[in-house]
Amino acid sequence: MAPMKRLHSRLNDKGDSDVQSASAAVGSVRGKRVRVSDSRSYLESRSTRRQDDDDDDDGDDGENDGVDQGNSDGNDNDEDDRSETFGGDQALPVEDYAVRRDNGFVDLQDEDMDTQRATQIIRKRNEQLAGNIPAEQGIIESVTCINFMCHNKLHVAFGPLINFIIGHNGSGKSAVLTAITLCLGGKASATNRGQNLKSFIKEGQETAVLIVKLKNQGSNGFQQDIYGDSIVIERQFSRTGTSGFKLKSESGRIISTKKAELEEIIDFFTLQIDNPMNVLTQDMARQFLNNSTATEKYRFFLKGVQLEQLDQDYRLLEESIDTIEQRLYTRDDDIRALKQTADDAAHKLRMSEQHDALRGKINNLGKQMAWAQVEEQEELLRNLDDELESATREIGDAEALEETTGQAYTEAHRLSEEAKEVAASLRQSQEPLREERRVVKEDFDKNKGELLELQTQQRTIRDHLRATEATIVRTEQDILKEQKRLEDANGGEHARRQADIDVAKDDAISAKVRLDDHRSAKPGLEKELLAAKAKAREAGVPIGLKRTEIRQNEDNLQSLMRDQGNQQGGFPESMPILLRAIRNESGFREMPVGPVGNHVRLLKPIWSSILEKSFGGALSSFIVTSKADQDLLSSIMRRVKCSCPIMIGNNRPIDISNNEPDASLDTTLRVLEIDNDLVRRQLIINQAIEQTVLIESRQEARSFMFDGAKPRNVKQCYCLHNERRGWGVRLAFSRGVEPSSSPMPPMIGKPRMKTDSDYQIRRQREDLQHLKRELVDLEQEARAVGQVLLRSEQALFRHDRESKSLQVQVQKAEEHAEMLEDELEKDSAEAGRLDALKAGLAEAEEEKRLNEGSYEDAINSKDKLNETARALKDRLKVFDSEIAEIDVKVKKAAETASRLADARHVALQKKNVAYAGVATAKAQKGAIEGRRAAQENKVTEFASQARQVCSRVPVDRGETADSLDRKLDKLSQDLQRFEREIGASHAELAEEAAEASHAYRVAQKQVEDLKKGARILKLALVDRQDRWRKFRRFISSRARANFTHLLSERGFRGSLRTDHVRRLLDLQVEPDETKSGKGRQTKTLSGGEKSFSTICLLLALWDAMGSPIRCLDEFDVFMDSVNRTVSMNMMIEAARRSIGRQFVLITPQSMNNIAPGPDVKIIKLNDPERGQTSLAFDN
């Protein structure tokens, strides 16, 4: 069997390679040459012939139809001839390819008739010519050269039809043509200007850039939706040898940088840049126009119309056909070998069928063995049924225990709630008393403030009274002095008075110094007052915050007591609606899990606030397993107006055994009980709960994290705040290496994780009491700050009052000194001053009486306020006593409630244990059911496999699968002994016979397919060679007729001789059409006549080419003015007859004798910069 497979494989490999190579050859010919057979000039000639069908004879119609039909039914009549030529399945006769291709040149026997027909077509085309139309795509719009040859920047914009580029030598005419060739992918050597790209870079520059813009308009443009109306081709190359292309759209966006894309564009537009007849450089034009021989002209002709390339492709196709047919001859031996192998395998199979009786006994034992295994599995299934019944009884016992513990828990819960209600009632009874006490306390504080203000007024009145008494005393003394002065007016008192004046001035100065010293202390007092006010304001801020915090904790406590046992209070209000909508939705692939908090139970409630804060919105989130479920859940959330985070997870198991810290440490994962693997996996991935350590002591936590090496498998650590109750601290490493510590404020709101509600309530109460104690401390600090503020205000008030007193003293001292000076100057006429002093004394006494009355009123008011303060203080004591009495009752009620809550907790634990017992029993039953289902599936699977062997059969008494297996082994060994004598088992022999027969049939079919493929390829080659001869025939006749027509434009007579046998193309020209004869050789013509004749030849060949662009450099260098003018006009007229073609003609001569038209654009390049403006000559 192995030799047969190898032989079959070899036949397949050979056949596939032959077919692939032949298909590639045909594809190459079809892909590359379609544009040649679609040559526009050839189509124009066929179109013209169709229009003249009514005037042409039947023979012409037949020829035209033959050319136009191509591969259509018009060529079906030639198949018999082709088959006879190739001899059916026989190989092609060994003969020269060119002989078979040319077919004896029988197609060229009527060249004169072909020339006549082509002449008629040209004349009719010229008569019917309506005007040239620019092509919509495939022509050049502009060329730009940067640092190219000797030009910094050269830009030329072309017209769509006829372009003449003129200018002096060095202006860049030939550089434009060279740039077109290089930018469109041509080789540097094809330009005859340099051997590599580096030689084209301007001296002194490192890189050069060439840009050609191609027109790409109309519905037939190249990828018009991508490139737009223009394709910009940019080529950049440097002296280091790098070179690259950029293909850009009309907007300048880079579409591709691959040369393959550029080649696709060139092929699409059939630009034929490497065609020597399509783009004639300066050297090529000179060679073609002046120095080319008949053989060279013929070679130019074949390359220009692409016949030479077609010929090479067809030669390659014929070689592939020869290779296929040669290999077909070697297939007969392979076919015979495969047939012999198939016959041998069939003979062995017939011999093996003689042992069918032994196989029947083996088959019977095999059937019993199959169903014996089924019976063993059915026995295991019955055992699992017994276990399942026992598990059902255990579940009933566990459920009865669960009901008993549930009733006990319900009673304990009722008693606990009643105790809580008693405690809450007592607390509520305190509220009116506390409110009344607060009102009385406000009245007491208000009375106290009024008393302090009255004391200040009293001090002010007393000060004024003292000042008035001093004024009275001073005035009485002044009166006595005045009386004495008047008595001594006539005595020698002048010297004494002068001394008194000096003393008074000294007193005034001393008083002013005291005033200045006193005033200098005021800024310090004002600064102390501002500082005291700032401290008072700062002391008020934490009080407000603390009261807000107390209200929040009171609200949380009330919520916990009200929602005890209801976990949903911590989630949005619309969460129940969302959960109901999720349960009712059937479009989920997998039901979402959430909210996450519903699946998490906190085993250590002390960490509730910190973990709630650290998890954030994750506890309110939902988990899905697909993007479609996420979108559906998001739409449901928008509909019920309940927005929660959505995470996408998967059910793949996650192993964290090597990622956890030491087992002695508490981690977030270890203090949580998570009932859903998807939730557990997401919290591990997103929150790193397996690597978050929990340590209550802040000092121990810092030592654990930051002392010594970084802990293994620890990302962060949470601890309790040692100063702020309810707060936490997060310890971690910022940027992985720097220790960092950040506080964590307490969680505001209801808890979302399942936990011990009684502990939460106790913890909340303790936090509330702690906050209230902190508020009392803050209020005491605020009162102390208020006392400091009051003392500062009083000190400033006393300072201002003393300043006024000192000011008065200064004024009085100055007035006294001035008075003494005035008295000294006065004479006895000043005796009236005594009356003034007496009047002042009377006013001071009156002011004293008024101040005494005001002071007495202040004393009376103070007494009343003191009496009111004593009464309010007594009321406060009464309230404090009543509140303290109720506090004792509240404390007792709270102790009772706490005791009952502990009893409730114990009952709850028992209930949970019973519940867990039910769950365990059900889980065990579920496991048994799973094993039973698996066993049932196994029984079904065994039975299904057994039924594949046979329908159910009884197993002999006392037989088991093992005993049957032993018997089956013995009989199988006997059969194997027989089969070894044959060489293989019956099944193997049957398989080998089937494979050998199949291999023989497949090989026969492959050989037939190869022969059929060879016939198809031969027919295709004959058809294409026939077309090639037709192309050569009609293009030659078209060129001959066109050449004669162009010569007649100037009155010349001549002919174009195409000798395809000797591969020659020559001209016969007679400048004087009046002379007889065939004409003269071009060697006997003058330079202008020779150049004009060659131009006619070039235009005739151009008319047969399919490229949309023709380029010619310096075609008129050897022409005189007459021939040049005629040639120019003739070229313009020929270009106008070439519909949709673009011509680029370069000449160093002026174009004064050519009139520009709408289709003719004359581009004059600027003179070159030579770096020199004048030449200096010696006189």
Side-chain angles (χ1 to χ4, degrees):
M1 185 171 66
M4 180 271 294
K5 289 185 177 180
R6 286 196 296 270
L7 184 61
H8 185 204
S9 174
R10 187 181 68 171
L11 185 60
N12 286 338
D13 294 341
K14 289 184 178 180
D16 292 344
S17 62
D18 292 342
V19 171
Q20 289 173 1
S21 61
S23 300
V26 174
S28 173
V29 173
R30 289 178 178 173
K32 293 183 178 179
R33 300 302 122 214
V34 167
R35 61 178 183 273
V36 178
S37 63
D38 257 351
S39 170
R40 295 182 180 175
S41 60
Y42 186 58
L43 289 175
E44 290 170 5
S45 66
R46 290 192 297 171
S47 175
T48 305
R49 283 198 290 269
R50 290 193 194 98
Q51 295 173 2
D52 298 338
D53 278 346
D54 295 337
D55 299 330
D56 291 342
D57 57 327
D58 295 339
D60 293 341
D61 291 341
E63 286 186 358
N64 290 338
D65 292 341
V67 175
D68 291 340
Q69 293 297 327
N71 284 334
S72 64
D73 296 338
N75 290 330
D76 291 343
N77 297 329
D78 298 333
E79 289 186 3
D80 296 336
D81 297 337
R82 298 187 193 118
S83 299
E84 292 176 2
T85 302
F86 280 87
D89 293 339
Q90 301 301 320
L92 290 173
V94 180
E95 57 177 323
D96 184 68
Y97 166 79
V99 174
R100 290 193 299 274
R101 178 199 64 200
D102 294 330
N103 196 23
F105 297 99
V106 294
D107 59 308
L108 303 178
Q109 293 176 357
D110 296 326
E111 286 191 351
D112 294 338
M113 184 180 295
D114 292 338
T115 304
Q116 263 185 349
R117 185 184 300 110
T119 302
Q120 293 174 2
I121 292 172
I122 292 172
R123 288 176 180 173
K124 287 188 177 183
R125 183 192 66 180
N126 295 339
E127 292 173 359
Q128 298 174 1
L129 190 63
N132 201 351
I133 300 174
E136 291 186 332
Q137 62 277 135
I139 61 175
I140 300 174
E141 293 182 332
S142 66
V143 175
T144 303
C145 309
I146 301 174
N147 296 332
F148 184 68
M149 297 178 73
C150 60
H151 307 281
N152 289 327
K153 183 172 183 180
L154 177 63
H155 178 77
V156 178
F158 291 112
L161 296 171
I162 306 170
N163 298 271
F164 285 96
I165 301 178
I166 65 174
H168 295 119
N169 290 335
S171 60
K173 303 187 300 301
S174 299
V176 173
L177 192 60
T178 303
I180 292 174
T181 302
L182 295 179
C183 192
L184 296 183
K187 298 180 180 179
S189 58
T191 63
N192 293 327
R193 289 300 189 97
Q195 293 302 316
N196 52 55
L197 292 175
K198 293 187 290 186
S199 61
F200 292 99
I201 301 175
K202 185 181 179 183
E203 189 69 26
Q205 301 295 329
E206 293 299 322
T207 60
V209 179
L210 302 176
I211 302 172
V212 173
K213 186 176 183 183
L214 297 180
K215 190 175 182 181
N216 192 42
Q217 299 177 4
S219 59
N220 294 326
F222 180 80
Q223 299 181 9
Q224 226 272 339
D225 56 332
I226 298 176
Y227 285 95
D229 291 340
S230 297
I231 299 177
V232 179
I233 302 170
E234 178 180 320
R235 184 174 191 180
Q236 183 175 359
F237 46 91
S238 65
R239 293 191 183 276
T240 59
T242 59
S243 174
F245 293 92
K246 293 181 182 178
L247 306 182
K248 301 180 180 179
S249 65
E250 181 184 17
S251 60
R253 183 170 61 93
I254 296 177
I255 305 300
S256 175
T257 57
K258 298 180 180 178
K259 189 176 181 182
E261 181 84 2
L262 173 61
E263 293 174 350
E264 185 178 354
I265 294 172
I266 299 301
D267 288 343
F268 183 84
F269 292 135
T270 64
L271 294 180
Q272 303 178 18
I273 296 302
D274 289 332
N275 189 337
M277 290 292 295
N278 194 44
V279 180
L280 276 96
T281 62
Q282 193 175 96
D283 296 333
M284 292 294 292
R286 186 179 298 111
Q287 180 181 354
F288 178 75
L289 296 178
N290 299 290
N291 303 324
S292 60
T293 63
T295 301
E296 291 172 342
K297 287 185 176 69
Y298 187 84
R299 188 173 65 253
F300 274 117
F301 164 72
L302 290 182
K303 288 184 178 180
V305 298
Q306 297 278 290
L307 286 174
E308 184 178 65
Q309 184 63 44
L310 275 175
D311 183 51
Q312 294 174 359
D313 292 338
Y314 296 160
R315 188 184 299 271
L316 175 63
L317 178 57
E318 184 173 285
E319 292 174 358
S320 299
I321 294 172
D322 291 341
T323 302
I324 293 174
E325 293 191 335
Q326 289 172 5
R327 291 183 178 179
L328 281 173
Y329 291 124
T330 64
R331 295 299 190 267
D332 293 337
D333 294 339
D334 296 336
I335 295 297
R336 284 192 294 272
L338 287 173
K339 187 175 186 306
Q340 182 63 40
T341 302
D343 294 341
D344 294 342
H347 176 69
K348 288 183 179 180
L349 180 62
R350 287 192 297 272
M351 291 179 63
S352 175
E353 290 173 351
Q354 297 175 3
H355 302 288
D356 287 343
L358 182 59
R359 292 191 186 91
K361 190 173 181 180
I362 292 174
N363 186 31
N364 184 36
L365 290 176
K367 292 178 180 179
Q368 290 191 38
M369 181 177 177
W371 287 104
Q373 296 180 55
V374 173
E375 290 181 357
E376 291 178 354
Q377 298 301 322
E378 288 174 343
E379 179 64 23
L380 293 176
L381 182 62
R382 286 191 290 273
N383 294 337
L384 288 174
D385 288 336
D386 296 338
E387 292 183 18
L388 187 62
E389 184 178 355
S390 176
T392 303
R393 289 194 298 272
E394 291 180 1
I395 290 176
D397 297 340
E399 288 178 342
L401 179 61
E402 180 186 20
E403 183 177 0
T404 302
T405 56
Q407 293 174 354
Y409 168 74
T410 302
E411 179 63 20
H413 179 71
R414 184 185 64 77
L415 294 176
S416 177
E417 291 299 316
E418 289 178 354
K420 291 177 182 177
E421 290 178 359
V422 171
S425 176
L426 289 173
R427 292 190 188 93
Q428 290 177 355
S429 66
Q430 282 183 325
E431 293 303 320
L433 292 176
R434 292 183 184 277
E435 181 63 23
E436 291 182 14
R437 184 186 183 285
R438 184 185 62 77
V439 174
V440 173
K441 184 65 169 61
E442 290 178 354
D443 293 340
F444 178 78
D445 293 339
K446 182 179 179 182
N447 183 78
K448 185 176 180 181
E450 293 177 354
L451 185 60
L452 291 174
E453 183 178 359
L454 188 60
Q455 289 176 350
T456 302
Q457 292 178 357
Q458 192 175 10
R459 285 195 298 271
T460 303
I461 294 172
R462 185 168 58 248
D463 292 339
H464 284 298
L465 183 60
R466 290 174 181 172
T468 304
E469 289 175 349
T471 302
I472 292 173
V473 173
R474 197 166 49 251
T475 304
E476 288 177 346
Q477 293 176 355
D478 291 340
I479 290 174
L480 292 175
K481 289 179 182 180
E482 181 64 20
Q483 289 175 349
K484 189 172 183 303
R485 185 186 66 77
L486 293 176
E487 292 174 357
D488 298 335
N490 296 325
E493 292 290 327
H494 185 274
R496 184 180 58 79
R497 290 182 177 181
Q498 186 63 46
D500 292 340
I501 291 172
D502 295 335
V503 172
K505 289 183 177 180
D506 292 337
D507 292 339
I509 293 172
S510 299
K512 186 145 190 210
V513 169
R514 289 196 300 274
L515 176 61
D516 294 337
D517 292 339
H518 185 72
R519 285 178 175 174
S520 64
K522 185 174 182 179
L525 295 175
E526 291 177 341
K527 185 175 181 180
E528 291 176 358
L529 178 61
L530 291 175
K533 287 181 178 180
K535 289 182 178 180
R537 287 193 299 270
E538 293 174 357
V541 173
I543 292 175
L545 296 176
K546 190 62 68 177
R547 287 173 178 169
T548 301
E549 193 173 354
I550 289 174
R551 285 195 298 272
Q552 292 175 347
N553 275 266
E554 289 174 345
D555 294 338
N556 289 341
L557 179 59
Q558 292 178 1
S559 298
L560 288 172
M561 296 177 63
R562 181 175 61 253
D563 300 332
Q564 190 172 6
N566 180 18
Q567 185 197 356
Q568 300 299 325
F571 299 107
E573 294 181 357
S574 54
M575 181 62 75
I577 302 175
L578 174 61
L579 294 176
R580 189 162 51 253
I582 292 174
R583 287 194 296 271
N584 296 334
E585 177 61 49
S586 61
F588 291 105
R589 297 180 181 176
E590 289 187 31
M591 188 62 64
V593 177
V596 169
N598 278 351
H599 301 276
V600 179
R601 175 179 294 278
L602 181 60
L603 302 179
K604 293 189 176 182
I606 192 173
W607 298 106
S608 176
S609 177
I610 293 176
L611 294 184
E612 289 272 352
K613 190 72 175 179
S614 66
F615 285 148
L619 293 176
S620 301
S621 64
F622 286 76
I623 305 175
V624 297
T625 57
S626 66
K627 184 65 170 62
D629 287 350
Q630 183 189 32
D631 296 338
L632 179 56
L633 180 57
S634 179
S635 65
I636 294 175
M637 288 181 178
R638 289 194 297 270
R639 186 173 70 244
V640 302
K641 298 181 179 179
C642 181
S643 178
C644 298
I646 303 175
M647 297 182 288
I648 298 180
N650 57 68
N651 292 315
R652 290 192 297 271
I654 182 171
D655 184 11
I656 60 170
S657 57
N658 296 326
N659 297 330
E660 291 188 277
D662 189 84
S664 62
L665 297 171
D666 276 346
T667 64
T668 303
L669 177 61
R670 292 167 184 168
V671 302
L672 296 180
E673 182 179 289
I674 304 173
D675 61 5
N676 187 282
D677 290 337
L678 197 59
V679 173
R680 178 176 178 271
R681 187 178 301 106
Q682 289 304 309
L683 291 179
I684 289 174
I685 294 173
N686 298 329
Q687 303 289 337
I689 60 174
E690 84 284 10
Q691 295 184 346
T692 300
V693 175
L694 305 177
I695 301 176
E696 293 187 18
S697 171
R698 185 175 182 180
Q699 183 176 0
E700 293 178 5
R702 290 188 63 86
S703 176
F704 170 77
M705 288 293 289
F706 302 145
D707 292 346
K710 182 179 178 181
R712 179 177 173 270
N713 292 335
V714 175
K715 287 188 176 180
Q716 56 187 356
C717 176
Y718 291 138
C719 62
L720 302 180
H721 203 290
N722 54 353
E723 296 177 358
R724 307 184 69 175
R725 186 178 180 85
W727 285 58
V729 179
R730 177 181 179 271
L731 305 176
F733 292 89
S734 61
R735 301 184 182 89
V737 294
E738 294 294 331
S740 67
S741 174
S742 56
M744 296 183 63
M747 174 69 183
I748 304 300
K750 303 174 186 177
R752 294 162 294 178
M753 293 186 293
K754 299 176 183 177
T755 185
D756 187 354
S757 58
D758 292 335
Y759 177 87
Q760 289 282 353
I761 293 174
R762 288 198 305 273
R763 182 74 179 184
Q764 196 69 36
R765 286 173 177 167
E766 292 173 0
D767 292 344
L768 183 60
Q769 294 299 326
H770 181 75
L771 292 173
K772 288 182 177 180
R773 288 194 295 270
E774 290 181 345
L775 178 62
V776 171
D777 295 339
L778 291 174
E779 289 176 343
Q780 290 177 354
E781 293 176 2
R783 284 195 293 273
V785 172
Q787 292 295 331
V788 173
L789 175 62
L790 180 61
R791 287 194 295 272
S792 298
E793 290 176 343
Q794 291 176 350
L796 185 61
F797 177 81
R798 289 193 298 271
H799 182 276
D800 292 338
R801 186 180 60 194
E802 190 172 354
S803 296
K804 292 178 181 178
S805 176
L806 291 174
Q807 179 69 31
V808 171
Q809 292 178 11
V810 170
Q811 291 178 352
K812 288 182 177 180
E814 291 176 347
E815 290 175 356
H816 179 61
E818 291 176 356
M819 180 189 69
L820 293 178
E821 288 180 347
D822 292 338
E823 287 177 350
L824 187 60
E825 295 175 358
K826 292 179 182 177
D827 51 16
S828 59
E830 294 179 351
R833 182 173 179 277
L834 181 60
D835 296 334
L837 291 174
K838 290 179 178 180
L841 178 61
E843 292 177 0
E845 290 174 347
E846 180 63 24
E847 183 178 358
K848 178 182 178 182
R849 284 193 297 274
L850 292 175
N851 288 332
E852 288 175 348
S854 299
Y855 188 73
E856 186 176 357
D857 293 339
I859 291 175
N860 294 332
S861 299
K862 182 178 179 182
D863 293 338
K864 291 180 180 180
L865 291 175
N866 286 330
E867 185 178 354
T868 302
R870 285 191 295 273
L872 292 173
K873 189 173 183 180
D874 293 338
R875 291 185 64 187
L876 287 175
K877 290 181 180 179
V878 172
F879 283 127
D880 290 340
S881 176
E882 293 177 355
I883 292 173
E885 183 178 353
I886 295 176
D887 282 340
V888 174
K889 296 179 180 179
V890 169
K891 184 177 180 181
K892 291 181 179 179
E895 291 175 353
T896 302
S898 177
R899 186 177 65 258
L900 292 174
D902 293 339
R904 172 185 172 279
H905 181 66
V906 172
L908 178 61
Q909 288 180 336
K910 292 181 179 179
K911 177 184 177 183
N912 290 338
V913 170
Y915 178 81
V918 173
T920 302
K922 289 182 177 180
Q924 291 175 351
K925 181 182 178 181
I928 296 174
E929 288 176 342
R931 284 158 47 205
R932 185 191 182 282
Q935 184 62 31
E936 188 174 8
N937 292 335
K938 196 171 182 180
V939 170
T940 303
E941 182 182 358
F942 273 54
S944 175
Q945 293 176 358
R947 278 191 292 272
Q948 292 178 5
V949 177
C950 65
S951 59
R952 186 152 190 162
V953 297
V955 180
D956 295 341
R957 182 183 299 276
E959 295 289 353
T960 64
D962 292 336
S963 63
L964 291 172
D965 187 33
R966 288 192 295 272
K967 292 181 179 180
L968 192 61
D969 284 343
K970 183 178 181 303
L971 294 176
S972 297
Q973 289 174 3
D974 294 339
L975 181 61
Q976 288 174 3
R977 187 173 63 254
F978 294 137
E979 289 178 345
R980 279 197 298 272
E981 295 175 359
I982 299 175
S985 66
H986 179 76
E988 291 175 342
L989 291 173
E991 181 183 1
E992 182 176 352
E995 288 182 355
S997 177
H998 176 71
Y1000 172 67
R1001 291 194 303 271
V1002 169
Q1004 265 191 328
K1005 186 177 184 303
Q1006 287 181 346
V1007 170
E1008 292 299 326
D1009 291 341
L1010 280 174
K1011 292 179 179 179
K1012 182 179 179 182
R1015 286 195 298 272
I1016 293 173
L1017 290 176
K1018 286 187 286 188
L1019 293 176
L1021 178 60
V1022 171
D1023 178 68
R1024 293 185 176 276
Q1025 287 180 335
D1026 181 59
R1027 288 173 174 234
W1028 188 88
R1029 289 190 294 272
K1030 289 179 180 179
F1031 290 157
R1032 182 180 64 182
R1033 170 188 172 188
F1034 292 118
I1035 291 174
S1036 300
S1037 63
R1038 181 69 171 271
R1040 289 195 299 270
N1042 216 347
F1043 177 71
T1044 304
H1045 172 73
L1046 292 173
L1047 286 178
S1048 66
E1049 293 285 336
R1050 193 185 171 195
F1052 281 25
R1053 179 170 53 82
S1055 63
L1056 178 64
R1057 296 174 57 196
T1058 52
D1059 187 346
H1060 296 294
V1061 178
R1062 294 186 295 169
R1063 304 176 68 81
L1064 299 175
L1065 188 148
D1066 202 1
L1067 312 179
Q1068 295 288 340
V1069 179
E1070 176 56 60
D1072 187 358
E1073 63 181 350
T1074 61
K1075 293 182 180 181
S1076 61
K1078 295 182 179 180
R1080 296 183 290 168
Q1081 293 288 337
T1082 55
K1083 295 180 180 180
T1084 64
L1085 300 175
S1086 65
E1089 292 171 344
K1090 184 178 180 181
S1091 297
F1092 173 76
S1093 302
T1094 314
I1095 287 295
C1096 293
L1097 172 61
L1098 178 62
L1099 293 175
L1101 296 180
W1102 272 358
D1103 191 52
M1105 291 168 54
S1107 176
I1109 302 173
R1110 285 101 165 83
C1111 301
L1112 182 59
D1113 189 6
E1114 296 194 4
F1115 60 91
D1116 55 351
V1117 291
F1118 298 105
M1119 292 185 184
D1120 54 23
S1121 59
V1122 177
N1123 282 316
R1124 182 173 180 274
T1125 302
V1126 174
S1127 298
M1128 285 287 191
N1129 292 326
M1130 183 177 62
M1131 293 179 73
I1132 292 174
E1133 291 303 322
R1136 286 170 175 165
R1137 288 193 296 268
S1138 301
I1139 304 300
R1141 303 293 194 275
Q1142 184 184 41
F1143 288 80
V1144 179
L1145 306 173
I1146 300 175
T1147 175
Q1149 308 296 331
S1150 65
M1151 298 295 294
N1152 296 332
N1153 54 348
I1154 300 301
D1159 57 348
V1160 177
K1161 182 175 182 180
I1162 299 175
I1163 304 169
K1164 186 176 186 309
L1165 301 182
N1166 296 328
D1167 292 339
E1169 296 181 2
R1170 300 300 188 185
Q1172 180 176 316
T1173 58
S1174 64
L1175 296 175
F1177 297 96
D1178 294 333
N1179 293 330

